[in-house]
Amino acid sequence: MGSQQSTPRSPTASALKREIVSEKPSLVTHDDEHTTATSGFDVLSTDILDKWSKDFDNNPVLALSRLVLSKGDPVLSLASRSALIRDAKIFNLQLKGTGPHGEYPGPRVNQASSGRCWLFATTNVLRYNVIEQLKLGDFELSQNYLFFYDKLEKANYYLENILELLDEPLDGRLLSYLNQAPVNDGGQWDMAVNIIEKYGIIPKSLYPEAFSSTASGKLDSLLTSKLREYAVLLRAAASRSKDAEYLRKLKAQFIAEVYSTLTIALGSPPKPNQQLTWEYYDRDEKFHSWTGSPNEFYEQYGKRKGMDPKDSFSIINDPRNEYNKLYSVERLGNVWKGNPVRYVNAPISALEDAVISGIKANTPIFFGCDVGKASNTPEGVMDCDVYDLKAAYGFDLGMNKAQRLETGESSMTHAMVITAVHLDASGRPLRYKVENSWSDSAGEKGWFMMTAAWFQEYVFQVVVPKSIVHKKWSDILNSEQVLLKPWDPMGSLA
């Protein structure tokens, strides 16, 4: 999660700022009345430091900021009272069957100390279908079940990449990048669909959380170390023998060890075709019993007419790249030979329209964003004006969305679900209701409010069924895709 807060400008203001910035580098100091520039330099000198120190001490605003912020959080302490008052969690368009205080679908989920937000967002979307059909109250799908098989598939995906890239230098950029986090917790919607289409879904009570699913760091570290070792062994074996079948058998031994490791840490998972019995009460406290496999549960309850997860796709807003194009990312995935991660790039208004259409169609919306920017977790508010940096520091943060992507300042760091939107008189969004996966202790019992301006600046992706968006966007899925490099910001995993 990002921790550095940002107060973005509107595109017009950002463009204006770029126009007035001098092409010559200069040092700028601020006081409450005017701005003065000093001559350029290449080495910091004591004379320069003395001048800055005197300027600072003579500025009562900055001195007050130092007095207050040196003893507290240098950003959170600047939360704007007026912004928090303005950001009401009231919405005039929400999912059917959901109460005004966030009863749907309960309980608030908790990814704990793990990076599984994309799996929680996916299961939060799918469980709405289950709850509707079975008339349930509190209900969760097993995130740990999907987590287990995602880790297993990612290990296989990584080693298949190693076998394909035997001629690449081990210290080259590509393998260095792939070696960074071969089985990290993150993922994307298309990767989630790869897992649920292959392994199905099950209620959480049939495969509950384990220590290493809620605190995944040590397991991730262990698997990463072993997979890097496997990569070295495969490359060494390939230097001695070009027998592809021998190398694949060696890889199979390695993946068997990964399976054992995951089973020890997470528990023995049900097999996708294994018959299970689930006993439960509906919201009227009537007893029910269901018997079937994870794949059967998914087929029966994980889908609705026109809302099949495999027919949903990602619309992104990436202003660095051309709109109305299909993009993918090289070597990004989890299931080998599974569906690639695909993005239809569009103006931000297309994402807004998709959300409105989704809520009107009674479909919760999976979305990816940079959650740490201009976000107040205790209050559950994502608002570009939530922190008044200028009042304390004398400056705002002025990069636009494209510039933040280009410099590594921003990327998709978190996936959540939109369950409501508040529209103005013309039908355009003012704010959104967000279901997070940080338990009921964050925000308003787990619910967050996102302003329309924040959505425009820090939301990069929404996932919608083809049936509810304009055909011009879904038609782009049939076009030739543009491949982005593996390390492109659009390859970041929520």
Side-chain angles (χ1 to χ4, degrees), residues 279-305:
E279 297 179 335
Y280 65 96
Y281 293 104
D282 64 20
R283 65 172 66 109
D284 296 323
E285 299 187 0
K286 292 181 180 179
F287 172 82
H288 299 270
S289 180
W290 177 90
T291 298
S293 70
N295 280 337
E296 289 170 333
F297 193 90
Y298 172 54
E299 289 297 324
Q300 290 180 34
Y301 303 120
K303 305 177 183 180
R304 284 189 293 147
K305 185 178 180 181

Side-chain angles (χ1 to χ4, degrees), residues 365-472:
I365 301 296
F366 176 114
F367 75 104
C369 66
D370 190 353
V371 72
K373 300 293 192 293
S375 181
N376 187 310
T377 297
E379 297 289 341
V381 167
M382 294 175 284
D383 183 334
C384 296
D385 298 321
V386 72
Y387 299 113
D388 191 350
L389 296 181
K390 190 169 182 118
Y393 296 106
F395 61 74
D396 288 323
L397 299 179
M399 283 194 288
N400 62 29
K401 197 171 190 176
Q403 292 165 336
R404 290 193 297 270
L405 286 168
E406 290 164 346
T407 59
E409 171 64 15
S410 195
S411 65
M412 280 186 276
T413 61
H414 193 48
M416 296 180 284
V417 176
I418 296 173
T419 64
V421 59
H422 192 70
L423 305 177
D424 64 17
S426 65
R428 300 312 301 168
L430 292 173
R431 55 183 177 267
Y432 304 82
K433 183 178 183 179
V434 173
E435 182 179 17
N436 206 345
S437 53
W438 294 345
S439 83
D440 60 4
S441 64
E444 188 174 301
K445 296 183 178 179
W447 296 101
F448 280 56
M449 191 287 308
M450 170 174 58
T451 67
W454 197 96
F455 182 101
Q456 293 169 4
E457 290 291 337
Y458 297 113
V459 168
F460 296 99
Q461 165 200 31
V462 298
V463 174
V464 290
K466 295 177 184 176
S467 60
I468 66 172
V469 294
H470 196 290
K471 193 171 180 291
K472 70 178 181 180

Side-chain angles (χ1 to χ4, degrees), residues 155-190:
N156 184 64
Y157 191 93
Y158 167 75
L159 292 184
E160 285 294 333
N161 270 306
I162 294 299
L163 291 175
E164 274 200 351
L165 298 170
L166 292 172
D167 294 332
E168 287 283 327
L170 190 57
D171 59 354
R173 183 171 188 182
L174 179 55
L175 281 178
S176 293
Y177 179 80
L178 295 177
N179 282 331
Q180 284 179 9
V183 286
N184 67 14
D185 288 359
Q188 269 293 344
W189 173 262
D190 291 308

Side-chain angles (χ1 to χ4, degrees), residues 126 129 302-312 358 361-363 465 467-468:
L126 295 182
N129 298 339
K303 305 177 183 180
R304 284 189 293 147
K305 185 178 180 181
M307 307 296 177
D308 192 326
K310 71 176 181 293
D311 290 330
S312 295
N362 211 33
T363 300
S467 60
I468 66 172

Side-chain angles (χ1 to χ4, degrees), residues 11 52 490:
W52 290 347
M490 287 298 125

Side-chain angles (χ1 to χ4, degrees), residues 184-365:
N184 67 14
D185 288 359
Q188 269 293 344
W189 173 262
D190 291 308
M191 295 164 66
V193 172
N194 281 339
I195 295 295
I196 62 180
E197 286 285 320
K198 185 172 182 178
Y199 295 99
I201 55 177
I202 55 173
K204 186 171 185 174
S205 60
L206 295 180
Y207 193 63
E209 296 281 62
F211 175 85
S212 289
S213 64
T214 60
S216 58
K218 293 295 179 63
L219 175 62
D220 286 350
S221 179
L222 177 62
L223 289 173
T224 296
S225 295
K226 202 62 185 172
L227 283 168
R228 289 169 178 162
E229 179 183 323
Y230 294 153
V232 171
L233 293 173
L234 282 173
R235 288 172 67 89
S239 68
R240 298 190 300 269
S241 170
K242 299 301 180 183
D243 185 346
E245 185 60 24
Y246 165 71
L247 294 176
R248 191 145 270 106
K249 287 181 178 179
L250 184 59
K251 187 213 76 170
Q253 294 176 22
F254 297 156
I255 296 299
E257 289 184 352
V258 172
Y259 180 89
S260 295
T261 303
L262 289 170
T263 301
I264 291 167
L266 301 177
S268 298
K271 293 178 282 294
N273 294 316
Q274 181 180 341
Q275 292 295 295
L276 307 168
T277 296
W278 174 48
E279 297 179 335
Y280 65 96
Y281 293 104
D282 64 20
R283 65 172 66 109
D284 296 323
E285 299 187 0
K286 292 181 180 179
F287 172 82
H288 299 270
S289 180
W290 177 90
T291 298
S293 70
N295 280 337
E296 289 170 333
F297 193 90
Y298 172 54
E299 289 297 324
Q300 290 180 34
Y301 303 120
K303 305 177 183 180
R304 284 189 293 147
K305 185 178 180 181
M307 307 296 177
D308 192 326
K310 71 176 181 293
D311 290 330
S312 295
F313 70 102
S314 295
I315 303 178
I316 64 166
N317 177 241
D318 178 2
R320 301 170 308 154
N321 291 310
E322 186 178 351
Y323 293 145
N324 306 306
K325 293 280 188 180
L326 181 65
Y327 293 87
S328 187
V329 181
E330 292 180 29
R331 300 193 182 275
L332 176 64
N334 54 353
V335 175
W336 192 251
K337 297 184 179 179
N339 293 321
V341 172
R342 298 192 302 169
Y343 302 129
V344 173
N345 196 22
I348 194 66
S349 59
L351 280 70
E352 294 173 330
D353 292 341
V355 172
I356 296 170
S357 297
I359 301 303
K360 286 182 177 179
N362 211 33
T363 300
I365 301 296

